[in-house]
Short mmCIF file of all heavy atoms in Angstrom, two decimals:
data_model
loop_
_atom_site.label_atom_id
_atom_site.label_comp_id
_atom_site.label_asym_id
_atom_site.label_seq_id
_atom_site.Cartn_x
_atom_site.Cartn_y
_atom_site.Cartn_z
N GLY A 164 -13.25 -55.52 49.03
CA GLY A 164 -12.57 -56.79 48.82
C GLY A 164 -12.55 -57.20 47.35
O GLY A 164 -11.55 -57.72 46.85
N PHE A 165 -13.66 -56.95 46.66
CA PHE A 165 -13.72 -57.30 45.23
C PHE A 165 -12.77 -56.41 44.43
O PHE A 165 -12.06 -56.89 43.54
CB PHE A 165 -15.15 -57.15 44.72
CG PHE A 165 -15.34 -57.69 43.33
CD1 PHE A 165 -15.63 -59.03 43.12
CD2 PHE A 165 -15.23 -56.86 42.22
CE1 PHE A 165 -15.80 -59.53 41.84
CE2 PHE A 165 -15.39 -57.35 40.94
CZ PHE A 165 -15.68 -58.69 40.75
N ARG A 166 -12.75 -55.13 44.75
CA ARG A 166 -11.85 -54.21 44.04
C ARG A 166 -10.39 -54.61 44.25
O ARG A 166 -9.57 -54.52 43.34
CB ARG A 166 -12.07 -52.78 44.51
CG ARG A 166 -11.19 -51.76 43.80
CD ARG A 166 -11.28 -50.39 44.44
NE ARG A 166 -12.53 -49.73 44.17
CZ ARG A 166 -12.78 -49.00 43.09
NH1 ARG A 166 -11.82 -48.84 42.18
NH2 ARG A 166 -13.94 -48.42 42.92
N SER A 167 -10.07 -55.06 45.47
CA SER A 167 -8.70 -55.48 45.75
C SER A 167 -8.30 -56.65 44.87
O SER A 167 -7.16 -56.75 44.42
CB SER A 167 -8.56 -55.85 47.23
OG SER A 167 -7.27 -56.32 47.51
N ALA A 168 -9.25 -57.56 44.61
CA ALA A 168 -8.95 -58.75 43.81
C ALA A 168 -8.98 -58.47 42.32
O ALA A 168 -8.12 -58.93 41.57
CB ALA A 168 -9.94 -59.87 44.15
N TYR A 169 -9.98 -57.69 41.87
CA TYR A 169 -10.23 -57.54 40.43
C TYR A 169 -9.95 -56.15 39.87
O TYR A 169 -10.03 -55.94 38.66
CB TYR A 169 -11.68 -57.93 40.11
CG TYR A 169 -11.85 -59.44 40.02
CD1 TYR A 169 -12.10 -60.20 41.15
CD2 TYR A 169 -11.74 -60.08 38.80
CE1 TYR A 169 -12.24 -61.58 41.06
CE2 TYR A 169 -11.88 -61.45 38.70
CZ TYR A 169 -12.13 -62.21 39.83
OH TYR A 169 -12.26 -63.57 39.74
N GLY A 170 -9.67 -55.19 40.73
CA GLY A 170 -9.33 -53.86 40.23
C GLY A 170 -10.50 -52.99 39.84
O GLY A 170 -10.31 -51.96 39.19
N CYS A 171 -11.71 -53.39 40.21
CA CYS A 171 -12.90 -52.59 39.92
C CYS A 171 -14.00 -53.01 40.89
O CYS A 171 -13.89 -54.03 41.58
CB CYS A 171 -13.36 -52.79 38.48
SG CYS A 171 -13.90 -54.47 38.10
N THR A 172 -15.07 -52.25 40.94
CA THR A 172 -16.20 -52.60 41.81
C THR A 172 -17.03 -53.70 41.16
O THR A 172 -16.98 -53.90 39.94
CB THR A 172 -17.10 -51.38 42.04
OG1 THR A 172 -17.71 -51.01 40.79
CG2 THR A 172 -16.31 -50.21 42.61
N PRO A 173 -17.83 -54.42 41.95
CA PRO A 173 -18.72 -55.42 41.36
C PRO A 173 -19.67 -54.82 40.32
O PRO A 173 -19.93 -55.44 39.29
CB PRO A 173 -19.49 -55.97 42.57
CG PRO A 173 -18.58 -55.74 43.73
CD PRO A 173 -17.87 -54.45 43.43
N LYS A 174 -20.17 -53.64 40.58
CA LYS A 174 -21.08 -52.98 39.63
C LYS A 174 -20.39 -52.73 38.30
O LYS A 174 -20.96 -52.98 37.23
CB LYS A 174 -21.59 -51.67 40.23
CG LYS A 174 -22.56 -50.92 39.35
CD LYS A 174 -23.06 -49.65 40.02
CE LYS A 174 -24.02 -48.88 39.12
NZ LYS A 174 -24.48 -47.61 39.78
N SER A 175 -19.17 -52.22 38.34
CA SER A 175 -18.43 -51.95 37.12
C SER A 175 -18.09 -53.25 36.39
O SER A 175 -18.15 -53.32 35.15
CB SER A 175 -17.15 -51.18 37.45
OG SER A 175 -16.35 -51.00 36.30
N TYR A 176 -17.75 -54.28 37.15
CA TYR A 176 -17.43 -55.58 36.57
C TYR A 176 -18.62 -56.13 35.81
O TYR A 176 -18.51 -56.58 34.66
CB TYR A 176 -17.02 -56.54 37.69
CG TYR A 176 -16.48 -57.87 37.24
CD1 TYR A 176 -15.12 -58.05 37.01
CD2 TYR A 176 -17.32 -58.97 37.06
CE1 TYR A 176 -14.60 -59.28 36.61
CE2 TYR A 176 -16.81 -60.20 36.65
CZ TYR A 176 -15.46 -60.35 36.44
OH TYR A 176 -14.95 -61.57 36.04
N ARG A 177 -19.79 -56.09 36.43
CA ARG A 177 -21.00 -56.61 35.80
C ARG A 177 -21.32 -55.80 34.52
O ARG A 177 -21.70 -56.37 33.50
CB ARG A 177 -22.18 -56.57 36.77
CG ARG A 177 -23.49 -57.02 36.15
CD ARG A 177 -24.49 -57.49 37.18
NE ARG A 177 -24.69 -56.57 38.28
CZ ARG A 177 -25.40 -56.88 39.38
NH1 ARG A 177 -25.95 -58.08 39.50
NH2 ARG A 177 -25.55 -56.00 40.34
N ALA A 178 -21.15 -54.48 34.59
CA ALA A 178 -21.43 -53.64 33.42
C ALA A 178 -20.48 -53.98 32.28
O ALA A 178 -20.89 -54.02 31.11
CB ALA A 178 -21.30 -52.17 33.80
N ASN A 179 -19.22 -54.24 32.59
CA ASN A 179 -18.25 -54.57 31.55
C ASN A 179 -18.56 -55.91 30.91
O ASN A 179 -18.51 -56.06 29.68
CB ASN A 179 -16.84 -54.59 32.15
CG ASN A 179 -15.76 -54.31 31.13
OD1 ASN A 179 -15.69 -53.22 30.59
ND2 ASN A 179 -14.93 -55.30 30.87
N VAL A 180 -18.90 -56.89 31.74
CA VAL A 180 -19.24 -58.22 31.22
C VAL A 180 -20.50 -58.13 30.34
O VAL A 180 -20.58 -58.75 29.27
CB VAL A 180 -19.45 -59.21 32.37
CG1 VAL A 180 -20.02 -60.52 31.86
CG2 VAL A 180 -18.13 -59.48 33.09
N ARG A 181 -21.47 -57.35 30.76
CA ARG A 181 -22.70 -57.20 29.99
C ARG A 181 -22.42 -56.53 28.64
O ARG A 181 -22.95 -56.95 27.61
CB ARG A 181 -23.72 -56.38 30.78
CG ARG A 181 -25.05 -56.23 30.05
CD ARG A 181 -25.98 -55.30 30.79
NE ARG A 181 -26.44 -55.87 32.03
CZ ARG A 181 -26.35 -55.27 33.22
NH1 ARG A 181 -25.80 -54.08 33.32
NH2 ARG A 181 -26.80 -55.86 34.30
N ALA A 182 -21.57 -55.52 28.63
CA ALA A 182 -21.23 -54.85 27.38
C ALA A 182 -20.52 -55.79 26.42
O ALA A 182 -20.78 -55.78 25.20
CB ALA A 182 -20.36 -53.62 27.66
N ARG A 183 -19.62 -56.63 26.93
CA ARG A 183 -18.93 -57.59 26.08
C ARG A 183 -19.90 -58.62 25.53
O ARG A 183 -19.78 -59.06 24.38
CB ARG A 183 -17.82 -58.28 26.86
CG ARG A 183 -16.59 -57.40 27.11
CD ARG A 183 -15.50 -58.18 27.83
NE ARG A 183 -15.03 -59.28 27.02
CZ ARG A 183 -15.00 -60.55 27.44
NH1 ARG A 183 -15.42 -60.86 28.66
NH2 ARG A 183 -14.54 -61.49 26.65
N ALA A 184 -20.88 -59.04 26.33
CA ALA A 184 -21.87 -60.00 25.87
C ALA A 184 -22.71 -59.40 24.75
O ALA A 184 -23.03 -60.07 23.76
CB ALA A 184 -22.75 -60.44 27.03
N ALA A 185 -23.06 -58.13 24.87
CA ALA A 185 -23.83 -57.45 23.83
C ALA A 185 -23.00 -57.30 22.56
O ALA A 185 -23.49 -57.48 21.44
CB ALA A 185 -24.30 -56.09 24.33
N PHE A 186 -21.73 -56.96 22.72
CA PHE A 186 -20.81 -56.84 21.59
C PHE A 186 -20.73 -58.16 20.83
O PHE A 186 -20.82 -58.21 19.60
CB PHE A 186 -19.45 -56.41 22.11
CG PHE A 186 -18.30 -56.67 21.19
CD1 PHE A 186 -18.14 -55.95 20.02
CD2 PHE A 186 -17.35 -57.63 21.51
CE1 PHE A 186 -17.07 -56.20 19.17
CE2 PHE A 186 -16.27 -57.89 20.67
CZ PHE A 186 -16.14 -57.17 19.49
N ALA A 187 -20.58 -59.27 21.58
CA ALA A 187 -20.48 -60.59 20.94
C ALA A 187 -21.77 -60.95 20.22
O ALA A 187 -21.75 -61.47 19.11
CB ALA A 187 -20.13 -61.65 21.99
N ALA A 188 -22.91 -60.67 20.85
CA ALA A 188 -24.20 -60.99 20.24
C ALA A 188 -24.43 -60.17 18.97
O ALA A 188 -24.97 -60.68 17.98
CB ALA A 188 -25.33 -60.74 21.23
#
Side-chain angles (χ1 to χ4, degrees):
F165 189 86
R166 181 189 287 274
S167 177
Y169 280 86
C171 64
T172 66
K174 181 179 179 181
S175 175
Y176 188 90
R177 177 158 50 189
N179 206 65
V180 171
R181 182 186 291 127
R183 286 183 62 235
F186 161 70

